[in-house]
Amino acid sequence: MNSAYKKEIRYTLGFSVLLLICGHLGLLFVAFPSLQNHMIFGFPSQYIVPVVFGWIVLMVVVAFQAKFTNAVDDEIEEINAAAENVK
Amino acid sequence: MEAQKWVLESPTIGMIFVGASFIIFYAIGWYSQKAAKSSTDYWTAGRSIGSITNGLGMASSYMSLATFMGVTALILKLKVPFVYMWIQFALSIPLITLWYGTPLRRMGAFTPAHFVRERYGLRTSYITVAFMILVMVMYALGQMIGVAKVFEMLFGINYTLALICGGALIVGYVTIGGMYGTSYNAAFQMILMGIAFIIPLGAIMKAMGGTGWWFPPLFYSDMVPAMLDAVPDFFDMKYGFKWYLSLIPCFTLGAMGLPHLGMRVYTASNLKSARGAMVWFTFFCGIVFCSTYTMGFSGVYFQATSGSTIAPTDLDKITLILNSVYNPAWVLAFVIAGAIAAGLSTISANLMAIGAMIAQDIIATIKPDLSDKTMKLIGYAAIAGGGAASILIALNPPNFLVVSILWAFGLAGVTVAPLVILGVWWKPANRYGASVAVLVSGLTYIAVSPYLFPDIVIAGGGLPDKVGMSGALLCVPLCFFLHVTISMITDRIPSMMAKIPYKQDKLLVDKIHGWTDYSEERYNSTGAGIIIAAVSLFFCIYAVLPGGW
């Protein structure tokens, strides 16, 4: 099985996990209550960390997602072109 | 303390702003539709929308009237847990793009139901379309009722007249513009609502004494100590692990199943542009979402520190109330125009989805030989008809249709997302598994909601049941489990497989991922199927275990 296919699967699963982490940090704070009520930038940790991850960090993750998944598409197109040339 | 009932003091400026904005919406719709040369152009905007416009449009389709009204009311009521509920909505477009948006764009789909038809056949697609139209009608209905109430307040007319006039104006510009008009209008509406929400919020914060007024989305920590003194439980997490976990199947996967969001990806000029749009979406969505939390925070802060009590019926007007207290009348008028733009952008996207499903997924499959000109006329009729139906239902809406827009998210998560995800990524997923899974899990989701059978609920009949969180925690994994197990079983019964074109279905999977050659090994793991079934079964059992909410 070729590397582009493996990359496609790996990136899809990997970025899904990262996206879910960015959007669902509330789960972390409810699972580990000791993480709550530490003041960060003047806000309680259980509030500001999910808010920042849900926007700023998410944007960074999504930018990398676009970059890497575009690269996989290019790789698939190269493989397709190579296969056409062989024919 | 007696609650004060809020009334709009000077509606004239509001009428001028709203009237002017409608003129612009119609002008954009009229100008844009000239580019639609065929019915495909009408539904997909010629697949020509650039990444920034598309990113604005994606965010705009998501920023409903709730951004200005419902969300702030729910923050006032639920406080921080509602913020967690809202944050994860920003994952929708990135997840849609990652899991099925680009493959369906590559396929040339009009709606996710189009893919379901190609992958699982007509019968399954009709079941899915029925659920999707129900979801879209519930979604559009909530917006239509909300816009009518704003019109009622603004023009001082009764609800019925406000609904018919407002509804007709909305349906008119969507029908005229098609997806071209909807896309460019949505981009304009996003800019309008963003400015109308954030800049006046800065002025409100400044008037309240906040030093971070120059960047409202994040800089209000100096108000936190006063908030903690006045409302000590504002930042409490309140609910259990199951409550927060159920946000994933109900709202994250639910949003992935909403056809009007998926359709935004199909309008992109190419796949790279679609992915670029997703980055812009995250930026625009994040800045407005964060400002919404600030507005909700300011509302709670205002109520706790000013000595004013807002009437329970006015909780959803907190954005308007704060603006009327701290900003001049023309700013309030601009905010009202922004709120209506937010409602309109969502209704437009809903109507486009309803119209596309009626025209492309029902009529075009029954009568596949219709000419392009006829299909274009059917497109106009489908949108106008869908809009007219929404207006008529909103005149006297049945209780079960206005229960909650959030409940509709869960239904989309149960009936659409698993089918599309497995259909795109797992070749053994077949028509038998899909049709049984969508029917059983969809009906179970409806049955365990407190609206039909109040005694059959999972979380005791409280908020998680009302908004569909408990139902989705059970039924989304149930749909995955049934789909995978039935597909794996029927895959081993040659007489059943002989009745369906499974080889053609498998070819489609490779094709939509961009492969020009076919490989049996790709997207065909039995181990993956077993893992999905086992994990899904675990979550089904976990969902019905008592406690944890």
Side-chain angles (χ1 to χ4, degrees):
Chain A
M1 215 158 334
N2 63 54
S3 66
Y5 168 71
K6 285 180 183 168
K7 271 186 197 167
E8 189 192 16
I9 300 287
R10 213 180 299 143
Y11 288 162
T12 303
L13 294 176
F15 278 111
S16 297
V17 171
L18 289 175
L19 292 172
L20 287 175
I21 289 172
C22 287
H24 290 278
L25 271 178
L27 272 172
L28 182 74
F29 287 97
V30 79
F32 302 101
S34 60
L35 295 175
Q36 295 179 26
N37 293 317
H38 300 282
M39 298 305 274
I40 300 174
F41 306 127
F43 291 99
S45 50
Q46 74 271 22
Y47 179 74
I48 195 64
V49 174
V51 167
V52 170
F53 267 72
W55 179 24
I56 311 284
V57 179
L58 180 65
M59 264 184 66
V60 175
V61 170
V62 167
F64 278 108
Q65 179 189 327
K67 182 179 159 56
F68 284 102
T69 48
N70 280 339
V72 169
D73 269 3
D74 291 342
E75 214 170 302
I76 290 174
E77 273 172 27
E78 277 171 25
I79 291 168
N80 288 337
E84 285 295 313
N85 287 339
V86 169
K87 283 175 193 169
Chain B
M1 191 185 301
E2 195 182 333
Q4 298 164 359
K5 179 81 183 156
W6 182 77
V7 287
L8 185 63
E9 284 173 2
S10 50
T12 315
I13 313 173
M15 290 179 204
I16 295 167
F17 271 79
V18 171
S21 63
F22 264 95
I23 291 169
I24 297 171
F25 300 153
Y26 266 86
I28 292 174
W30 180 254
Y31 182 77
S32 308
Q33 61 85 29
K34 289 179 181 171
K37 306 288 182 216
S38 66
S39 62
T40 304
D41 289 353
Y42 185 76
W43 294 115
T44 61
R47 303 195 196 278
S48 63
I49 305 294
S51 58
I52 297 179
T53 309
N54 218 358
L56 283 163
M58 286 168 172
S60 178
S61 304
Y62 225 163
M63 302 294 153
S64 64
L65 198 60
T67 307
F68 281 75
M69 301 180 89
V71 174
T72 47
L74 283 162
I75 292 175
L76 254 71
K77 201 172 166 187
L78 292 178
K79 304 190 175 74
V80 156
F82 190 78
V83 173
Y84 296 123
M85 191 188 275
W86 216 250
I87 285 171
Q88 54 76 41
F89 280 131
L91 304 182
S92 60
I93 293 285
L95 280 171
I96 286 172
T97 311
L98 187 64
W99 279 91
Y100 73 82
T102 43
L104 266 61
R105 164 70 182 75
R106 206 180 268 122
M107 177 192 141
F110 293 101
T111 68
H114 184 175
F115 168 74
V116 172
R117 187 179 77 219
E118 297 291 318
R119 179 71 172 82
Y120 299 117
L122 265 183
R123 195 181 306 163
T124 314
S125 84
Y126 285 148
I127 302 170
T128 313
V129 164
F131 278 120
M132 279 186 189
I133 289 180
L134 176 65
V135 169
M136 285 295 92
V137 167
M138 289 180 76
Y139 210 127
L141 202 60
Q143 302 300 313
M144 201 69 95
I145 293 169
V147 170
K149 284 184 174 169
V150 176
F151 268 58
E152 186 184 9
M153 177 183 74
L154 190 63
F155 293 97
I157 51 180
N158 69 45
Y159 172 78
T160 305
L161 190 60
L163 177 67
I164 293 171
C165 294
L169 276 172
I170 297 164
V171 175
Y173 94 77
V174 180
T175 308
I176 290 170
M179 192 51 113
Y180 267 114
T182 299
S183 299
Y184 289 115
N185 259 318
F188 172 69
Q189 284 159 349
M190 183 64 217
I191 293 167
L192 176 65
M193 75 179 89
I195 294 170
F197 196 81
I198 298 169
I199 294 176
L201 175 60
I204 291 168
M205 286 172 65
K206 190 176 184 188
M208 281 180 163
T211 54
W213 57 269
W214 50 276
F215 192 66
L218 289 177
F219 294 166
Y220 47 101
S221 61
D222 55 339
M223 295 157 81
V224 169
M227 173 67 100
L228 285 171
D229 284 343
V231 190
D233 69 339
F234 184 81
F235 294 102
D236 288 358
M237 301 208 55
K238 292 185 183 74
Y239 302 113
F241 188 81
K242 244 182 196 173
W243 195 94
Y244 291 94
L245 181 68
S246 65
L247 297 177
I248 297 176
C250 190
F251 301 124
T252 305
L253 285 173
M256 285 179 75
L258 292 175
H260 70 293
L261 294 182
M263 284 170 73
R264 283 254 140 260
V265 181
Y266 317 148
T267 62
S269 51
N270 56 56
L271 297 181
K272 286 182 179 163
S273 170
R275 294 193 180 107
M278 141 187 111
V279 181
W280 284 111
F281 161 82
T282 318
F283 172 73
F284 296 124
C285 199
I287 196 166
V288 176
F289 275 10
C290 287
S291 301
T292 314
Y293 316 144
T294 313
M295 187 66 86
F297 179 96
S298 303
V300 178
Y301 184 88
F302 168 75
Q303 200 168 220
T305 57
S306 70
S308 305
T309 306
I310 297 162
T313 51
D314 281 343
L315 285 180
D316 60 351
K317 298 190 188 86
I318 191 69
T319 303
L320 305 181
I321 294 172
L322 290 178
N323 274 288
S324 71
V325 171
Y326 293 110
N327 285 329
W330 69 268
V331 174
L332 175 62
F334 187 49
V335 174
I336 291 173
I340 289 178
L344 261 52
S345 63
T346 305
I347 299 176
S348 315
N350 296 153
L351 290 181
M352 285 304 298
I354 292 170
M357 283 187 280
I358 293 171
Q360 296 292 339
D361 297 324
I362 297 176
I363 297 174
T365 57
I366 297 168
K367 293 267 183 193
D369 301 325
L370 292 173
S371 69
D372 196 66
K373 195 179 169 191
T374 311
M375 280 310 296
K376 214 174 163 189
L377 289 174
I378 288 173
Y380 287 127
I383 292 181
S390 304
I391 294 168
L392 287 175
I393 299 170
L395 282 173
N396 188 16
N399 285 339
F400 77 94
L401 278 185
V402 286
V403 287
S404 168
I405 294 171
L406 295 174
W407 186 84
F409 273 77
L411 186 61
V414 172
T415 57
V416 183
L419 260 63
V420 178
I421 290 170
L422 287 173
V424 169
W425 289 93
W426 196 56
K427 281 177 184 163
N430 68 30
R431 299 171 182 218
Y432 299 113
S435 49
V436 173
V438 69
L439 252 186
V440 173
S441 54
L443 294 177
T444 307
Y445 180 76
I446 293 169
V448 298
S449 73
Y451 306 110
L452 273 189
F453 308 109
D455 296 331
I456 308 175
V457 286
I458 296 169
L463 181 80
D465 289 322
K466 286 178 183 162
V467 298
M469 290 161 67
S470 58
L473 189 59
L474 168 67
C475 297
V476 170
L478 180 66
C479 191
F480 275 109
F481 176 75
L482 289 173
H483 195 356
V484 169
T485 48
I486 293 169
S487 295
M488 287 177 86
I489 292 166
T490 50
D491 202 34
R492 283 152 182 78
I493 305 173
S495 60
M496 291 188 82
M497 295 309 283
K499 291 179 186 167
I500 58 172
Y502 68 96
K503 283 182 184 162
Q504 191 186 316
D505 296 341
K506 286 182 173 182
L507 282 171
L508 177 69
V509 176
D510 271 15
K511 197 177 151 196
I512 61 175
H513 283 274
W515 301 100
T516 49
D517 65 326
Y518 179 76
S519 164
E520 184 67 17
E521 285 182 320
R522 285 193 290 255
Y523 319 106
N524 207 9
S525 163
T526 305
I530 293 169
I531 291 169
I532 294 167
V535 172
S536 302
L537 183 63
F538 169 80
F539 280 110
C540 286
I541 296 167
Y542 176 68
V544 293
L545 290 176
W549 295 97

